[in-house]
Amino acid sequence: PHPVHLKDYRPPEFLIETVDLCFELDADRTRVEARLALRRNPAATRGDGDLRLDGEQLELESVAIDDQLLTPAEYRVESESLIIHRVPDRFTLTTRVTISPSQNTALEGLYQSGDMLCTQCEAEGFRRITYFLDRPDVMARFTTTLIADTERYPVLLANGNPAEQRTLDDGRQLARWVDPFPKPCYLFALIAGDLRAVEDRFTTASGREVALRIYVEPHNLDKCDHAMRSLKQSMRWDEARYGREYDLDIFMIVAVSHFNMGAMENKGLNVFNDKYVLARPDTATDQDFQGIEGVIAHEYFHNWTGNRITCRDWFQLSLKEGFTVYRDQEFSADMGSRGVKRIADVRLLRAHQFAEDASPMAHPVRPESYIEINNFYTVTVYEKGAELVRMQAALLGPERFRRATDLYFERHDGQAVTTDDFVRCMEDASGCDLGQFRRWYSQAGTPVLEIEGHHDAESATYRLRVRQHTPSTPGQPEKAPLHLPLALALLDAEGRELALRLDGEDEAAPAGTRVLELREAEQCFTFVDVPEPPVPSLLRGFSAPVRLRFDYSDVELMFLMAHDGDGFNRWDAAQTLMQRLLLRLVEDPAAVIPESFFAAFAQALDDRAGDPALLAEVLTLPAESYLGDQLAVVDVDGIHRARCTLERAIGARLRDQLLAVHAAHDDAGPYRLTPEAIGARALKNRALGYLLAAGDAEGLARCIAQFEAARNMTDCISALRLLVDHGGEAGLEALSSFHTRWSGEPLVLDKWFSVQATSPRPDTLARVERLMRDPDFSLRNPNRVRSLIGAFCNANPVRFHAADGSGYRFLADRVLELDPLNPQVAARLMRALVRWRRFDAARQALMRAEIERVLAAEALSRDVYEVAAKALE
Ligand code: BAL
Ligand code: ZN
């Protein structure tokens, strides 16, 4: 397979003004007629006169130009294209093809999910529906006509506004949808099925009425309230924060049970993985509820950042994804607890994006090349991309940032543009020079900030020396310094923030956070009027996606954990402290856990006035994978042992307090989704976790009682997980009763699979292999694959990395089995092996051998090939 390069971008030779699609829908044989109004693009260099359309797995029936059928001599069909020779400058092209949704296991293009038909076109799925110029810079106005059996498919949906619905003479039903907004074909969608809708209305700020509908299978109608509420909140928020109104008469969401990604922002018709729609307190956890709120918002926000303004080419994916993730993060922060949201986002970034940056798959936010674009829907493009927007917002400040986004929407509405166009709007609206900042988009890798502080009592100054460097990444050995905001405060002995004045400044800034701009490889900042040595609170709110190195003493970290006014940094100080202790235990399993650590932990547990959600985060040990990331060679078993030791020690030592916290937050009232209630549940279950890790009998009894009495899934699944990991026979009984109760709810069964796949018990792989043969398991459902295979390989380090290589062999077998069915999901799984160089020599050899075995397989997809080949580069 050949890579595609950003440097080879050329404007399209032809443009498509309008598209008329007519589908005669049938699960086995769907006929698609496409009428495209094409014209030569005056802005493109003239080619050989041929028109080359993308198309894959299509059975071509006929081709006509201006209604004249072409003879086979006038066109050529290749495996991935249709080439029509010597076409006029402006014409109508009509093609007729046949496709088979029921045979489509890749879930790209038109496919069958349960009894319904649905589509997924991003990035390049539309070419599996009809021949087209399948690239985001070709924006056309779509009219879609759907014809189908009335009983099987009473609901027929497509993008835009409804234009017509009638019964045909043969009894079939016809529905026509017209989308007035030009869009690239990756935003096309259709749905056909026996669905029911939850309906609502929304009046936009300018007074337009919009119908809202969430379509689900009939038995799921009682699980849509939260999604609908989240949608209306998103619509209101986008008006208030960005001045963006919705633009069609109707906005629809459809929940689908077979879906490769989380959801898809098709114009006016968002198609969702049902995991991000369906929730009832007894079926979904707090995290699920939050996930739904965030993803509903994300897809809705794409209407402006993605649909009205789209990407010129797929290298610009972060233009829409980075900005939209930033928008959904801020929305969720406003809806819930801002500090806790930031912690969750940074946890994800550090655990996955930093790891990606340190792997053979490292790539810039704007990649230079790809073999398969589906492999670039990554944490780098999404989450690091969001951090780049966040940094620009910080550098500009709120007013100028809003002016800049207003300019972006005004200047580029209806266009397909680049990340550079976005940055230019930031510059033009603010007067800031972001020339150097642009490097963030093209330079891969996680910068390291090394900061030293020096206090001089005589001159009453405090000097910070800041050095930045970025480790090399594949294909980018040399890195240049980056422009970034460093938010900080200096704290006095009581934890008060000082008013900061830099040497040379006339007056001090008000006490609080101050943002310094870094641009050089090394910079010094001298603060004056600092009579006592301060404790610096650095990189507040995680103001830049970097690894911070500052030589804090344990005492200083405990001070920050107790006093830092920045909630994020309070949490981060606790994490650093625990990380230090854990790494000491990895090195020396007999190392003594200092009294001061228990004291700090106990003090935090006692903080009745604090935010319980933040407290639960503070009391959560760093993940094993993140700890591994801090070591030159990942010590899989040592890290697991150290973490268990510390959990056990906390559980034993602070037993009474933990039992008290568990009892204090045992809410008996109705389920509430407020930040306080979510925090209370998180804290209660964290406390229970430590007690069970310590083998506490009272803790176990409480856990069993909680499992049996739980009226919400958060408490139920937390207890089940602990019972499976620590409860012996009680765990098996709980699994069995959970299965009996929830066998009719696939999303809840996914949790049943995951809990078992992620258990650190020694027999987990054998259990996972048994579960692969469970009648409820299917390789054809991505959620099920992720809940069993994905969970085992990505969220169970100690068992996946078993020293005998059994986990690696299991994964490679599954990748090879899945690749012919669903390459996208297979390639995702394959990523669990790419960081093989980070492990000891024996594991390296075992992982490498499995990667080579995958690469040697015949007819490997582009998706899996690219991941496997890059892993070995
Ligand atoms: N555009 C693909 C799914 C998402 O990021 O919203
Ligand atoms: Zn998105």
Side-chain angles (χ1 to χ4, degrees):
H2 296 293
V4 187
H5 294 277
L6 168 60
K7 65 178 163 49
D8 294 337
Y9 172 84
R10 301 285 177 279
E13 264 187 65
F14 289 86
L15 300 175
I16 304 176
E17 282 170 354
T18 59
V19 185
D20 268 284
L21 295 170
C22 181
F23 290 82
E24 286 185 71
L25 291 164
D26 179 83
D28 298 322
R29 280 182 73 76
T30 286
R31 299 187 69 213
V32 187
E33 182 189 275
R35 283 174 70 80
L36 317 180
L38 285 136
R39 69 179 167 91
R40 233 170 252 286
N41 180 5
T45 44
R46 209 180 164 89
D48 55 10
D50 290 354
L51 169 69
R52 180 180 279 268
L53 298 166
D54 304 298
E56 285 174 22
Q57 297 172 21
L58 306 172
E59 214 178 288
L60 179 63
E61 288 178 6
S62 66
V63 189
I65 284 191
D66 294 332
D67 293 320
Q68 295 290 307
L69 278 181
L70 300 191
T71 65
E74 292 172 291
Y75 61 88
R76 192 166 82 244
V77 180
E78 295 182 351
S79 67
E80 296 187 356
S81 44
L82 166 66
I83 298 134
I84 305 172
H85 307 303
R86 287 173 294 282
V87 296
D89 286 350
R90 186 182 272 277
F91 59 102
T92 300
L93 177 77
T94 307
T95 61
R96 290 203 177 96
V97 301
T98 305
I99 53 181
S100 178
S102 62
Q103 301 296 308
N104 181 351
T105 58
L107 316 187
E108 293 177 70
L110 177 66
Y111 64 91
Q112 185 169 14
S113 170
D115 291 329
M116 71 168 108
L117 300 178
C118 61
T119 52
Q120 172 55 37
C121 293
E122 188 175 0
E124 297 180 334
F126 193 73
R127 63 187 64 186
R128 292 168 185 231
I129 292 176
T130 191
Y131 286 106
F132 206 75
L133 294 172
D134 189 354
R135 46 187 291 168
D137 56 354
V138 172
M139 297 174 84
R141 261 185 285 274
F142 282 65
T143 298
T144 307
T145 304
L146 305 172
I147 298 170
D149 181 273
T150 311
E151 268 171 30
R152 272 186 90 107
Y153 304 115
V155 172
L156 298 174
L157 312 174
N159 314 94
N161 294 319
E164 183 182 357
Q165 178 147 23
R166 63 189 158 92
T167 305
L168 301 179
D169 293 344
D170 60 11
R172 290 184 301 171
Q173 190 194 179
L174 176 149
R176 178 167 294 125
W177 291 81
V178 178
D179 185 356
F181 293 96
K183 65 168 177 283
C185 64
Y186 82 84
L187 291 171
F188 170 81
L190 76 79
I191 291 285
D194 185 5
L195 303 171
R196 301 285 181 284
V198 169
E199 302 193 33
D200 210 326
R201 302 198 66 74
F202 182 85
T203 309
T204 68
S206 68
R208 290 189 42 256
E209 284 291 308
V210 181
L212 309 178
R213 288 200 198 134
I214 298 182
Y215 286 93
V216 294
E217 288 170 307
H219 62 276
N220 284 323
L221 274 172
D222 61 348
K223 303 190 195 80
C224 301
D225 293 354
H226 181 65
M228 185 62 91
R229 195 166 42 243
S230 302
L231 173 61
K232 288 190 288 184
Q233 285 168 334
S234 309
M235 296 177 87
R236 201 53 85 205
W237 188 90
D238 212 15
E239 292 182 342
R241 284 288 290 267
Y242 287 88
R244 297 297 107 201
E245 271 192 33
Y246 186 62
D247 50 13
L248 290 166
D249 301 338
I250 182 165
F251 185 82
M252 298 173 285
I253 288 173
V254 183
V256 169
S257 56
H258 295 68
F259 208 70
N260 284 347
M261 336 187 175
M264 180 63 212
E265 69 262 26
N266 318 297
K267 183 81 189 186
L269 178 56
N270 285 192
V271 179
F272 269 63
N273 184 328
D274 56 6
K275 175 179 163 58
Y276 291 109
V277 176
L278 306 177
R280 236 179 23 207
D282 60 331
T283 64
T285 62
D286 295 343
Q287 225 184 345
D288 294 329
F289 276 92
Q290 288 169 330
I292 289 167
E293 182 183 84
V295 177
I296 294 262
H298 179 97
E299 305 311 329
Y300 174 73
F301 295 158
H302 267 315
N303 190 52
W304 275 95
T305 51
N307 302 2
R308 293 284 289 253
I309 305 178
T310 193
C311 304
R312 187 193 72 175
D313 54 73
W314 290 122
F315 298 101
Q316 319 297 331
L317 182 58
S318 195
L319 172 82
K320 73 181 179 80
E321 297 305 345
F323 190 16
T324 306
V325 170
Y326 171 71
R327 276 150 55 70
D328 84 55
Q329 289 176 346
E330 285 296 294
F331 166 75
S332 295
D334 282 349
M335 295 297 118
S337 161
R338 177 163 284 271
V340 173
K341 175 63 181 154
R342 187 66 186 138
I343 289 168
D345 292 339
V346 174
R347 242 193 234 287
L348 178 85
L349 191 81
R350 281 180 173 163
H352 300 288
Q353 200 282 320
F354 284 15
E356 185 163 86
D357 258 347
S359 83
M361 290 293 288
H363 55 274
V365 169
R366 186 189 59 212
E368 299 285 326
S369 71
Y370 58 79
I371 291 177
E372 171 52 63
I373 183 58
N374 286 332
N375 286 329
F376 284 79
Y377 285 72
T378 61
V379 274
T380 298
V381 166
Y382 275 62
E383 271 71 26
K384 186 175 179 182
E387 294 300 316
L388 305 200
V389 177
R390 183 176 295 280
M391 284 192 284
Q392 292 173 79
L395 291 169
L396 267 60
E399 286 84 27
R400 291 192 302 175
F401 182 67
R402 172 64 196 266
R403 276 211 299 280
T405 58
D406 285 351
L407 175 64
Y408 175 68
F409 292 123
E410 185 192 313
R411 185 184 279 178
H412 295 298
D413 188 13
Q415 297 178 2
V417 301
T418 63
T419 53
D420 208 47
D421 293 318
F422 177 84
V423 178
R424 194 162 306 116
C425 290
M426 297 291 120
E427 292 183 313
D428 290 352
S430 69
C432 289
D433 175 3
L434 296 172
Q436 184 186 356
F437 187 88
R438 283 176 168 77
R439 272 188 201 141
W440 279 104
Y441 285 95
S442 57
Q443 187 166 287
T446 309
V448 179
L449 278 195
E450 289 182 66
I451 306 187
E452 289 166 19
H454 176 75
H455 182 255
D456 185 80
E458 204 164 300
S459 57
T461 58
Y462 185 70
R463 187 162 169 272
L464 282 178
R465 185 166 78 150
V466 186
R467 281 180 293 190
Q468 58 159 303
H469 74 275
T470 304
S472 56
T473 53
Q476 281 190 345
E478 301 295 331
K479 305 286 184 178
L482 295 160
H483 178 193
L484 62 99
L486 173 63
L488 58 79
L490 301 182
L491 307 185
D492 70 12
E494 271 76 51
R496 286 182 303 242
E497 292 160 347
L498 302 179
L500 298 183
R501 182 155 75 93
L502 282 169
D503 194 16
E505 287 178 344
D506 293 337
E507 53 186 289
T513 303
R514 175 151 184 178
V515 179
L516 304 178
E517 291 193 32
L518 305 186
R519 293 174 188 269
E520 316 289 336
E522 179 168 338
Q523 266 167 284
C524 285
F525 300 90
T526 302
F527 297 95
V528 297
D529 305 331
V530 188
E532 303 293 331
V535 179
S537 166
L538 300 167
L539 203 69
R540 288 190 138 188
F542 204 66
S543 60
V546 300
R547 294 180 196 264
L548 174 69
R549 307 251 185 271
F550 185 89
D551 192 17
Y552 285 113
S553 68
D554 284 359
V555 171
E556 285 173 318
L557 287 172
M558 285 181 212
F559 174 84
L560 289 171
M561 187 175 156
H563 298 294
D564 199 324
D566 185 76
F568 177 85
N569 274 13
R570 266 203 314 282
W571 167 79
D572 209 25
Q575 289 291 296
T576 309
L577 200 62
M578 293 195 275
Q579 175 186 313
R580 246 183 221 182
L581 181 53
L582 285 162
L583 295 180
R584 232 174 274 151
L585 284 167
V586 172
E587 218 169 275
D588 173 12
V592 175
I593 302 168
E595 278 308 311
S596 55
F597 174 80
F598 290 119
F601 213 94
Q603 193 186 346
L605 269 177
D606 254 352
D607 178 12
R608 292 288 149 81
D611 171 3
L614 190 59
L615 193 52
E617 296 289 352
V618 166
L619 300 181
T620 302
L621 302 185
E624 289 180 32
S625 52
Y626 183 65
L627 292 166
D629 206 30
Q630 314 306 315
L631 294 170
V633 177
V634 179
D635 179 351
V636 174
D637 300 308
I639 290 170
H640 183 66
R641 201 183 324 109
R643 227 172 157 275
C644 291
T645 303
L646 187 55
E647 277 188 327
R648 226 177 8 249
I650 293 170
R653 188 60 184 274
L654 303 175
R655 172 182 189 268
D656 294 343
Q657 252 181 299
L658 290 165
L659 284 169
V661 165
H662 182 259
H665 293 286
D666 198 11
D667 63 332
Y671 180 77
R672 287 173 308 128
L673 201 61
T674 57
E676 297 73 35
I678 293 171
R681 283 188 284 274
L683 186 56
K684 169 179 76 177
N685 288 311
R686 202 78 286 287
L688 201 55
Y690 286 116
L691 290 163
L692 267 83
D696 189 86
E698 169 67 12
L700 179 61
R702 295 244 195 127
C703 193
I704 293 170
Q706 177 173 320
F707 175 74
E708 286 169 356
R711 286 168 301 121
N712 66 73
M713 185 48 77
T714 303
D715 286 347
C716 176
I717 204 76
S718 300
L720 177 64
R721 181 178 298 283
L722 292 172
L723 291 176
V724 168
D725 292 353
H726 305 286
E729 200 53 38
L732 294 177
E733 280 167 23
L735 277 173
S736 164
S737 78
F738 188 92
H739 187 270
T740 306
R741 168 145 190 223
W742 295 113
S743 60
E745 292 284 353
L747 292 172
V748 185
L749 267 196
D750 284 341
K751 298 181 194 301
W752 181 81
F753 280 99
S754 278
V755 160
Q756 299 179 74
T758 52
S759 174
R761 290 167 49 97
D763 62 349
T764 290
L765 178 55
R767 199 186 274 197
V768 169
E769 281 174 329
R770 238 183 2 259
L771 288 169
M772 293 277 305
R773 296 189 293 274
D774 189 285
D776 285 321
F777 184 80
S778 164
L779 270 185
R780 294 187 181 225
N781 186 324
N783 283 354
R784 200 47 56 84
V785 169
R786 286 185 281 255
S787 73
L788 183 64
I789 308 171
F792 175 74
C793 299
N794 296 306
N796 193 349
V798 71
R799 295 303 154 216
F800 174 61
H801 292 285
D804 63 1
S806 52
Y808 308 147
R809 203 158 44 246
F810 169 78
L811 172 59
D813 285 343
R814 299 295 80 77
V815 167
L816 291 172
E817 212 175 342
L818 191 57
D819 192 38
L821 296 172
N822 189 329
Q824 231 181 92
V825 175
R828 286 271 153 183
L829 287 181
M830 188 66 199
R831 280 165 184 258
L833 288 171
V834 302
R835 303 184 69 230
W836 62 281
R837 286 193 184 87
R838 300 281 295 110
F839 294 82
D840 56 77
R843 284 185 172 89
Q844 278 195 23
L846 291 164
M847 291 171 98
R848 189 190 168 107
E850 295 303 333
I851 300 169
E852 283 170 348
R853 181 158 72 90
V854 169
L855 263 182
E858 270 176 34
L860 211 55
S861 68
R862 269 204 304 257
D863 310 55
V864 170
Y865 170 82
E866 180 170 39
V867 176
K870 284 206 167 129
L872 295 182
E873 265 173 18

